[in-house]
């Protein structure tokens, strides 16, 4: 009798999970699934879907922990299939579903199936559970990998809502909003950061990013004003001279544009800023030869 009780196998499996005895846990959980009437099609006195779903979820988490990702993904998918098949409302199972999407979404991310990961994580982000904040962070990771700036702006809306006291999140949201062309939204975040942050390096970056937004809005005088504030903090900020060059080029002031692009290179603008400054020097200013 007791050996046919799927609930007892399930409970002992949970104990083994807590004891980190994975092999015994998996054996018991699989036996619980095998004996469940909903699985083996025996006639049941009551609806045993909830028990089957919880057992399947437990199996998925064990396989997840063992890094058998394809098998774990399959079991997470089985949980979702069974929950859709179940014809009764069950609060406990409803609360489980965000964890299932989060678990499967994370594994899709691990195997670089970004679209499938994104679909699962978006489902979690719509929920009101504690898991939505983790989902927003993982979605942001996907957005960064894809350079999906408009999506990143939305994901950071969620992260800011999750951690409203974390001021650096507002800087990040401002940055991604600006790259998505959402300049007014970005400026609100950057203005907030200026009121809250005293770290000199971050203040320089914020003024430069505000200049980027004003440049996008064709508010050139405001852009120059922001850049002058950066240069007051650090006269050697190569990125600021790069943006000054961009502003003057947009105003048709080629000589001043070239002076500032050259300064950006002399003051060690890095990465894309340096490459773009060299490109502008070649296009507008007759070329650029780096010092030996």
């Amino acid at each position: 009798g007791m050996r046919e009780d799927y609930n007892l196998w399930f409970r002992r499996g949970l104990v083994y999970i807590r004891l980190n005895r994975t092999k015994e846990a998996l054996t018991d959980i699989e036996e619980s699934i095998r004996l469940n009437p909903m699985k083996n099609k025996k006639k049941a006195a009551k609806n045993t879907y909830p028990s089957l779903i919880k057992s399947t979820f437990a199996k998925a988490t064990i396989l997840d922990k063992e890094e058998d990702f394809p098998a774990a993904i399959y079991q997470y998918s089985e949980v979702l299939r069974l929950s859709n098949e179940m014809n009764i409302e069950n609060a406990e199972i409803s609360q489980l579903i965000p964890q299932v999407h989060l678990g499967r979404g994370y594994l899709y991310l691990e195997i670089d199936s970004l679209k499938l990961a994104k679909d699962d994580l978006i489902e979690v982000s719509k929920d009101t559970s504690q898991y939505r904040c983790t989902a927003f962070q993982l979605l942001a990771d996907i957005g960064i990998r894809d350079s999906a700036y408009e999506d990143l702006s939305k994901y950071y809306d969620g992260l800011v809502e999750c951690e409203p006291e974390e001021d650096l999140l507002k800087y990040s949201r401002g940055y991604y909003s600006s790259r998505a062309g959402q300049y007014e939204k970005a400026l609100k975040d950057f203005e907030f950061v200026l009121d809250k942050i005293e770290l000199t390096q971050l203040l320089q970056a914020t003024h430069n990013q505000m200049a980027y937004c004003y440049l996008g809005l064709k508010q050139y005088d405001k852009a120059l004003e922001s850049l002058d504030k950066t240069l007051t903090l650090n006269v050697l900020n190569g990125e600021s001279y790069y943006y000054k060059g961009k502003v003057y080029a947009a105003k048709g002031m080629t000589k001043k544009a070239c002076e500032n692009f050259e300064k950006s290179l002399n003051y060690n603008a890095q990465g894309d800023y340096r490459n773009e400054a060299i490109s502008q020097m070649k296009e507008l200013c007759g070329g650029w030869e780096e010092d030996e």
Side-chain angles (χ1 to χ4, degrees):
M2 290 184 65
R3 293 192 63 80
E4 297 297 311
D5 190 332
Y6 56 88
N7 278 319
L8 286 178
W9 287 100
F10 174 65
R11 291 191 201 111
R12 193 172 72 169
L14 292 182
V15 172
Y16 280 137
I17 290 172
R18 295 188 193 102
L19 293 172
N20 206 29
R21 291 166 61 176
T22 307
K23 185 176 180 181
E24 294 103 316
L26 187 58
T27 298
D28 279 4
I29 295 298
E30 287 180 334
E31 186 65 6
S32 173
I33 292 170
R34 187 185 71 81
L35 292 171
N36 191 292
M38 291 298 169
K39 183 69 174 178
N40 60 32
K41 307 303 180 187
K42 290 181 182 177
K43 193 168 184 178
K46 61 178 182 177
N47 192 320
T48 62
Y49 268 117
S51 178
L52 179 58
I53 290 168
K54 286 186 285 185
S55 294
T56 306
F57 177 71
K59 182 175 180 180
T61 59
I62 293 169
L63 294 167
D64 188 340
K65 189 175 181 181
E66 292 292 292
E67 298 188 357
D68 188 348
F69 296 156
I73 287 170
Y74 176 80
Q75 293 301 322
Y76 282 130
S77 301
E78 272 293 282
V79 173
L80 295 174
R81 183 188 68 78
L82 290 166
S83 65
N84 287 331
E85 196 175 278
M86 183 173 66
N87 60 2
I88 59 169
E89 291 292 325
N90 185 288
E92 191 176 4
I93 299 304
S94 296
Q95 291 171 9
L96 193 66
I97 297 307
Q99 296 179 63
V100 177
H101 281 295
L102 184 62
R104 189 175 69 172
Y106 181 80
L107 294 185
Y108 279 138
L109 194 54
E110 284 289 299
I111 62 173
D112 287 328
S113 293
L114 300 188
K115 184 182 183 305
L116 293 172
K118 186 175 175 181
D119 290 343
D120 269 331
L121 296 169
I122 285 172
E123 284 300 313
V124 185
S125 73
K126 296 174 185 175
D127 196 72
T128 57
S129 70
Q130 58 183 311
Y131 305 105
R132 68 191 300 266
C133 296
T134 303
F136 280 126
Q137 186 57 67
L138 293 172
L139 283 165
D141 292 343
I142 294 172
I144 291 168
R145 289 166 71 168
D146 288 344
S147 298
Y149 296 126
E150 190 171 345
D151 286 345
L152 278 163
S153 178
K154 290 187 289 187
Y155 302 151
Y156 270 85
D157 285 341
L159 287 171
V160 168
E161 186 181 326
C162 289
E163 297 185 72
E165 303 303 315
E166 183 51 72
D167 297 334
L168 287 176
L169 287 174
K170 295 182 178 67
Y171 175 84
S172 296
R173 181 173 66 180
Y175 177 84
Y176 294 124
S177 297
S178 70
R179 269 45 187 185
Q182 300 171 7
Y183 302 122
E184 299 286 359
K185 178 182 178 181
L187 284 167
K188 287 179 183 177
D189 277 331
F190 293 139
E191 286 163 2
F192 176 90
V193 171
L194 289 180
D195 287 339
K196 295 286 186 179
I197 300 292
E198 296 182 3
L199 186 66
T200 301
Q201 193 170 3
L202 184 58
L203 290 173
Q204 292 177 53
T206 302
H207 284 304
N208 280 343
Q209 295 310 316
M210 290 181 77
Y212 177 90
C213 293
Y214 288 130
L215 180 60
L217 292 168
K218 299 183 179 179
Q219 296 178 17
Y220 302 129
D221 290 342
K222 285 187 175 182
L224 291 171
E225 184 181 332
S226 289
L227 295 167
D228 285 340
K229 288 177 180 176
T230 304
L231 294 170
T232 299
L233 295 168
N234 177 11
V235 73
L236 303 179
N237 191 302
E239 188 178 320
S240 298
Y241 290 114
Y242 164 77
Y243 280 128
K244 269 198 160 187
K246 292 283 285 183
V247 173
Y248 284 124
K251 293 179 75 170
M253 301 170 68
T254 304
K255 183 179 179 182
K256 280 199 168 186
C258 292
E259 289 172 358
N260 281 279
F261 285 133
E262 186 170 8
K263 281 183 180 180
S264 76
L265 294 167
N266 290 335
Y267 294 143
N268 293 317
Q270 298 295 314
D272 290 342
Y273 298 108
R274 184 172 190 81
N275 294 336
E276 179 64 18
I278 292 172
S279 176
Q280 289 292 316
M281 287 291 292
K282 290 177 178 177
E283 183 177 336
L284 298 176
C285 316
W288 164 256
E289 290 186 10
E290 192 159 6
D291 294 336
E292 293 293 332

